[in-house]
Amino acid sequence: MFKRTKVCAGVLVALGGTLAATSMPTWAQTAERIEITGSRIKRVDAEGALPVTSIGRAEIEASGASSVAEFMRTIPFASTGNFRPQSGSSAQSFAEIDLRGLGSARTLVLIDGRRAAKGPMVGDAVDLNIIPMAMIERVEVLTDGASAVYGSDAIGGVVNFITRKDYQGLELMLGATKPSVKGGDRSEGSATIGIQGPKGRLIAGASFSQRDIIFANQRPWTVNRGASVYGNNYTTNDPVTGDRFNFTAIPGGCNDPNFYIVTNPTTGVSSCRYDFTAVAADEAAVRNSSVFARGEYQISDSWTGYLGASVGRVDSFGRYAPTPGLLEIAADSPQNPLPGQVVNLYHRFAAAGNRDSTTDNNYYNFNLGVQGRLFDFADVDVGVRRSDSKYYELGRNYIVRPIAEQFINDGTYDIQNPAANDPDTLNAIKATITRDARMKELEGYANATFDLFSMSGGKAQMLVGLERRTELFSDQYDSLSEAGVIEGSAGNSAGGGRTVWGAYAEALLPILKTLEATVAARYERYSDYGNDFSPKFGLKWKPLPTLSLRGSVGKGFRAPSLPILTQKTTFSAESVVDPDSCAVLNPGEDDCQVSTFTIANPALDSEKSSQFSFGGIWDATPWLSLKADYWSVKVTDVIREITAQDIVDRDNGTDPRPIPAGLGLTRAGGVITRIDSGYANEGELATSGIDISVATTFQLGGMGRVRNEVRWARVLKYEEGGFDFNGSIGQPKDRITITNDWSMGAFKAAWNVNYIGRNEYNPNSATDLRRQGGYTTHDLQFGWDTPIKGSQLNLGFVNVTEKLPSRYNFSGREFNFNLYDAYGRQAYVRYTQQF
């Protein structure tokens, strides 16, 4: 029996728990059916017809990760990596999970089987930073489609975070991490309390984790200056002489700090470059903090109520180099280095200061429901879920283009001596930009499970359910960003809502003692674009007590996101290549500007997917278990952005594909007068692969116990647009994790190996430098249950060999941030005390 201490009781009262402390001496536990990810029918067998990998809390803690997002970067099913907080990004505090390289928008994230709200900073994927690490008991990863059970987004797979429910006592934890590379120091802590009684149980807690900012000049390889032509240079628009690409330094204008001269050895022309690495940060400083609670109360012999709630906050600070600008100097400007002709100025507004951005994301989640037996006929689950995520971003020292261009042309802003400009002049061209976004969801759900009839293998079961979800989204940029007059930033506001109705059914059919079938289907109706229907069929056969074979086939879908469906129409003068138009609008030039409107395409529909998998599990011996699964995913009607040039090329026949429905252009006398660009459904994406797992357990007698598991995910193909990108940069064929843990008495140790396969820009080239070879890191952890009762000390190293990624440009960064990090060796310590 758990003895409630004064400390536990006091914390419980302070948390304001819904369960009375005086009513909880114990909580009776009995063997019961469980719900596994990919099915809503509860069963005793934890393995169904779909491939599910369960990762327990012990393995998560042994990884050395201090946040959910950090741990999910290590799983092999995230074949192309996951986006993580990056300074200067439009989502600098965001962290995703992307299964199979199909994108985070095609990966469904659940918390205890219910949808997690999407992050308003992206609008189509969940921000893992809002999920508290201390709240997690285990993670279940379904590496197969599951739209027939869960609806939209479950194309690449499903990640279900199962929260702690059975803990008793009080647990405190503090930890710190020190990388060998400067910057990125980390600290973490949590407090968790669990109380149980004859009619209920409650677990609640608070946690935080933070990582310091990392500047570009702290990277071990940043020994050469960053070379940006946005220093202080001018060019002309003469295509014959090539001056449009012949960057020439503004006379006398390259003397400020971090500016330097580079002379072209062929032409002898000197240009002014800017060293952005001297001031910019690569990774933002991020702090996560949260409080959470989960409670259950036995209302009667047949009914139990449950409540889950969490509040999280993610703050970040990022620094980008001062604003670069491409502006036009008039022919008659007193500052024109070539009087009489228009020149383009590539200028860095360093005197105005660095671009600093702060973000705040506040997340609120609440889930209330009841479960029980109705009329001794059906097991029922009825509840409501509400989530609200509010995101605010503030950016300082951005440049208002029209004002800066005016000041440069009339001489108010001195381009020859930028640092000497009057502070009032600098303030007049600067702007503080903002972004205010919100994602709000309210969902009601009800399902019932009941027996159908007897079969040779047992009772056939049926589950039917109904859901209604409202989604409200807003993303409001400041008026200057929305108007497109801010240099170094852009924004397009969006906002709207929709209602989603979902009806689903699932049947478990035990055809024989050794053979069971699962049939599922789901229909969803969206108020903004239309309907979708997703069926699925699965089969599991156990020819031997130790051998299970399984397979499934199904359909899936991804609804177009609210940011795309509700984006405001924006105007821009896009440069396009079109001979007929440019002959009139810009004689003698290949390109010309035309009126372009980016619209919310009224013809946009959902993506569709077809999925197939088969494999098996063999518990070969009491100490050896093997799993292997083949999977295949094909996505059609892919939602992709169609640019102004795409539409022009299709209209004039350069690209034989038709212009997608809802988009287009108009001409008058052969000259383009308007282009409507945006998102559309077009093309296919097909990928397939094999997942293999080998798990062993060895009892070493007086030397303790050793457990090992190898998880290998190999991608066989990744085809899109007629090309197979498998093995190319950012698309490794292989990811492998090897976990090894040993325990004996008060001591334990873990050794984890993470391998990312070779990937390169051109797999057939022997000279291309954009290549990352096979990448292996080793993590070590040592644990000790100290003589102090209830205490544990863990010491560890992430990447103990101090492996660093190859340096090459990837999405504007010095290496692939999604797959790798450059922290070097990370030494950490954690102390846990239980009462």
Side-chain angles (χ1 to χ4, degrees):
M1 177 178 291
F2 167 61
K3 183 178 180 180
R4 189 175 65 254
T5 66
K6 291 181 179 180
V7 173
C8 292
V11 174
L12 179 63
V13 172
L15 288 170
T18 58
L19 306 181
T22 56
S23 67
M24 292 186 222
T26 60
W27 171 263
Q29 297 289 334
T30 58
E32 59 181 353
R33 294 172 179 263
I34 61 171
E35 181 179 314
I36 60 174
T37 303
S39 172
R40 293 199 184 277
I41 296 179
K42 294 184 178 181
R43 64 194 75 194
V44 174
D45 193 348
E47 292 282 357
L50 303 180
V52 177
T53 297
S54 182
I55 304 171
R57 184 171 181 82
E59 182 177 335
I60 296 173
E61 292 178 338
S63 70
S66 66
S67 70
V68 166
E70 286 188 8
F71 175 75
M72 296 308 294
R73 286 173 50 79
T74 67
I75 67 171
F77 314 115
S79 55
T80 60
N82 300 326
F83 184 94
R84 60 191 174 92
Q86 300 176 23
S87 178
S89 164
S90 60
Q92 74 173 19
S93 66
F94 174 73
E96 69 176 9
I97 174 63
D98 173 5
L99 296 180
R100 307 301 195 197
L102 289 169
S104 55
R106 300 189 185 104
T107 301
L108 181 63
V109 177
L110 308 174
I111 299 177
D112 286 332
R114 310 305 314 180
R115 283 177 175 267
K118 296 175 180 177
M121 71 290 289
V122 293
D124 60 2
V126 173
D127 181 10
L128 295 188
N129 278 328
I130 56 91
I131 302 176
M133 184 80 145
M135 187 176 73
I136 303 303
E137 176 64 31
R138 68 181 186 279
V139 182
E140 293 181 350
V141 183
L142 169 63
T143 48
D144 196 6
S147 288
V149 177
Y150 302 113
S152 177
D153 308 339
I155 291 177
V158 179
V159 178
N160 191 6
F161 294 97
I162 309 299
T163 62
R164 302 169 75 179
K165 301 176 181 66
D166 295 331
Y167 178 72
Q168 298 184 64
L170 176 63
E171 179 184 274
L172 305 175
M173 185 275 290
L174 284 174
T177 301
K178 182 71 175 178
S180 59
V181 175
K182 285 185 178 181
D185 289 9
R186 190 179 68 194
S187 58
E188 57 183 311
S190 66
T192 308
I193 184 172
I195 295 180
Q196 301 184 0
K199 288 193 173 183
R201 56 184 173 181
L202 172 71
I203 185 169
S207 66
F208 79 91
S209 68
Q210 64 181 29
R211 187 184 284 277
D212 290 347
I213 195 169
I214 300 178
F215 289 95
N217 58 22
Q218 292 176 314
R219 297 295 191 192
W221 51 62
T222 308
V223 293
N224 298 319
R225 289 176 166 181
S228 171
V229 295
Y230 286 91
N232 204 6
N233 299 296
Y234 70 90
T235 67
T236 69
N237 285 318
D238 190 341
V240 177
T241 64
D243 283 344
R244 62 164 62 188
F245 304 114
N246 197 9
F247 300 100
T248 305
I250 294 291
C254 200
N255 298 315
D256 289 346
N258 302 322
F259 290 82
Y260 61 99
I261 292 289
V262 173
T263 301
N264 189 316
T266 303
T267 64
V269 175
S270 295
S271 64
C272 178
R273 303 301 174 101
Y274 181 75
D275 180 11
F276 54 87
T277 65
V279 294
D282 271 351
E283 297 189 30
V286 179
R287 178 184 173 90
N288 307 347
S289 54
S290 63
V291 293
F292 56 89
R294 166 82 187 193
E296 298 178 12
Y297 184 77
Q298 190 172 340
I299 302 169
S300 67
D301 291 341
S302 302
W303 290 90
T304 300
Y306 58 88
L307 168 67
S310 64
V311 178
R313 180 170 183 172
V314 182
D315 302 323
S316 74
F317 170 78
R319 171 164 291 173
Y320 227 28
T323 304
L326 173 57
L327 305 101
E328 190 174 273
I329 302 181
D332 59 353
S333 170
Q335 298 203 91
N336 194 321
L338 299 175
Q341 63 176 307
V342 174
V343 300
N344 296 319
L345 176 67
Y346 288 75
H347 186 72
R348 181 76 59 165
F349 291 91
N354 301 310
R355 285 172 289 171
D356 288 347
S357 59
T358 58
T359 70
D360 296 297
N361 184 29
N362 294 281
Y363 175 78
Y364 309 89
N365 185 66
F366 180 83
N367 189 193
L368 176 67
V370 293
Q371 294 176 327
R373 187 78 175 166
L374 185 64
F375 303 128
D376 201 28
F377 168 72
D379 294 318
V380 176
D381 185 6
V382 180
V384 61
R385 176 184 65 86
R386 184 184 186 278
S387 62
D388 193 356
S389 189
K390 302 176 182 179
Y391 177 82
Y392 185 74
E393 182 176 339
L394 186 70
R396 294 182 173 86
N397 300 328
Y398 286 79
I399 302 299
V400 184
R401 185 186 313 112
I403 300 176
E405 201 162 54
Q406 175 190 333
F407 281 16
I408 288 171
N409 276 289
D410 65 20
T412 304
Y413 178 91
D414 186 357
I415 61 174
Q416 289 189 317
N417 194 4
N421 280 294
D422 187 275
D424 289 340
T425 298
L426 297 175
N427 287 333
I429 65 174
K430 292 196 297 186
T432 296
I433 62 174
T434 62
R435 182 184 179 192
D436 193 351
R438 186 175 187 180
M439 180 71 78
K440 185 177 180 180
E441 292 185 5
L442 178 62
E443 178 185 58
Y445 56 89
N447 61 62
T449 307
F450 49 89
D451 293 339
L452 286 176
F453 43 76
S454 297
M455 302 184 72
S456 297
K459 289 282 189 179
Q461 292 179 282
M462 182 79 174
L463 177 142
V464 294
L466 185 67
E467 295 176 1
R468 182 184 187 274
R469 185 173 73 253
T470 59
E471 301 176 351
L472 296 175
F473 172 73
S474 65
D475 191 5
Q476 184 63 51
Y477 286 82
D478 65 277
S479 57
L480 293 176
S481 295
E482 198 170 53
V485 298
I486 295 294
E487 286 289 320
S489 179
N492 183 16
S493 297
R498 64 184 174 197
T499 301
V500 184
W501 282 95
Y504 54 93
E506 183 180 358
L508 179 62
L509 307 173
I511 302 170
L512 302 170
K513 292 287 186 182
T514 59
L515 181 66
E516 70 175 34
T518 305
V519 182
R522 186 181 181 103
Y523 171 83
E524 286 199 349
R525 186 181 73 192
Y526 284 74
S527 61
D528 50 2
Y529 81 88
N531 311 319
D532 279 289
F533 177 73
S534 300
K536 193 174 187 74
F537 175 76
L539 201 63
K540 178 185 175 183
W541 177 41
K542 293 190 70 171
L544 299 171
T546 58
L547 177 64
S548 297
L549 303 178
R550 60 193 180 192
S552 69
V553 59
K555 300 286 186 179
F557 74 98
R558 177 172 79 95
S561 67
L562 282 173
I564 292 175
L565 288 174
T566 65
Q567 65 179 344
K568 292 183 180 179
T569 298
T570 57
F571 167 81
S572 62
E574 291 291 319
S575 292
V576 298
V577 176
D578 181 67
D580 292 341
S581 299
C582 296
V584 176
L585 300 176
N586 198 16
E589 297 290 339
D590 296 330
D591 62 344
C592 52
Q593 292 184 323
V594 297
S595 296
T596 302
F597 296 84
T598 303
I599 66 170
N601 187 352
L604 195 65
D605 200 357
S606 60
E607 295 181 339
K608 308 296 191 297
S609 69
S610 299
Q611 273 136 315
F612 170 69
S613 71
F614 69 87
I617 308 168
W618 182 30
D619 295 324
T621 69
W623 54 268
L624 174 63
S625 179
L626 307 172
K627 292 184 183 181
D629 291 281
Y630 168 84
W631 54 271
S632 175
V633 182
K634 182 179 181 180
V635 184
T636 57
D637 295 332
V638 172
I639 297 174
R640 66 174 73 253
E641 185 176 9
I642 309 298
T643 67
Q645 188 64 57
D646 291 333
I647 293 173
V648 171
D649 290 344
R650 298 178 192 205
D651 181 72
N652 62 28
T654 304
D655 186 337
R657 293 175 294 180
I659 296 175
L663 307 178
L665 58 74
T666 56
R667 294 179 184 266
V671 178
I672 297 173
T673 58
R674 177 185 176 114
I675 296 177
D676 288 317
S677 64
Y679 286 86
N681 299 100
E682 181 179 86
E684 297 181 353
L685 189 162
T687 181
S688 63
I690 298 173
D691 298 329
I692 296 174
S693 169
V694 180
T696 58
T697 302
F698 299 100
Q699 299 294 339
L700 304 179
M703 296 298 294
R705 180 188 64 184
V706 174
R707 292 183 298 187
N708 319 87
E709 184 167 5
V710 178
R711 299 188 186 110
W712 175 24
R714 180 172 179 83
V715 180
L716 299 177
K717 72 173 182 179
Y718 194 100
E719 296 179 353
E720 187 173 13
F723 298 94
D724 188 352
F725 293 96
N726 197 25
S728 64
I729 281 288
Q731 300 270 164
K733 295 181 180 180
D734 300 291
R735 287 201 68 173
I736 301 173
T737 60
I738 306 174
T739 61
N740 308 277
D741 71 82
W742 166 83
S743 61
M744 184 183 72
F747 300 95
K748 65 179 183 180
W751 170 33
N752 298 330
V753 183
N754 305 284
Y755 172 78
I756 301 172
R758 173 191 177 108
N759 54 106
E760 51 191 320
Y761 181 68
N762 184 353
N764 298 316
S765 171
T767 59
D768 197 290
L769 298 179
R770 292 184 62 191
R771 179 182 297 114
Q772 172 67 65
Y775 187 87
T776 304
T777 59
H778 301 264
D779 307 331
L780 297 176
Q781 185 184 95
F782 306 94
W784 175 39
D785 294 335
T786 75
I788 302 173
K789 185 178 180 180
S791 69
Q792 185 179 91
L793 181 66
N794 289 306
L795 303 173
F797 300 91
V798 175
N799 189 11
V800 68
T801 60
E802 209 167 7
K803 180 78 171 179
L804 292 174
S806 298
R807 185 186 181 192
Y808 59 83
N809 183 274
F810 188 90
S811 297
R813 306 285 174 172
E814 291 184 297
F815 61 94
N816 186 337
F817 271 39
N818 293 358
L819 280 170
Y820 314 102
D821 66 57
Y823 303 132
R825 181 188 305 110
Q826 300 177 71
Y828 65 90
V829 58
R830 289 191 189 128
Y831 180 79
T832 304
Q833 181 68 58
Q834 294 182 338
F835 300 94

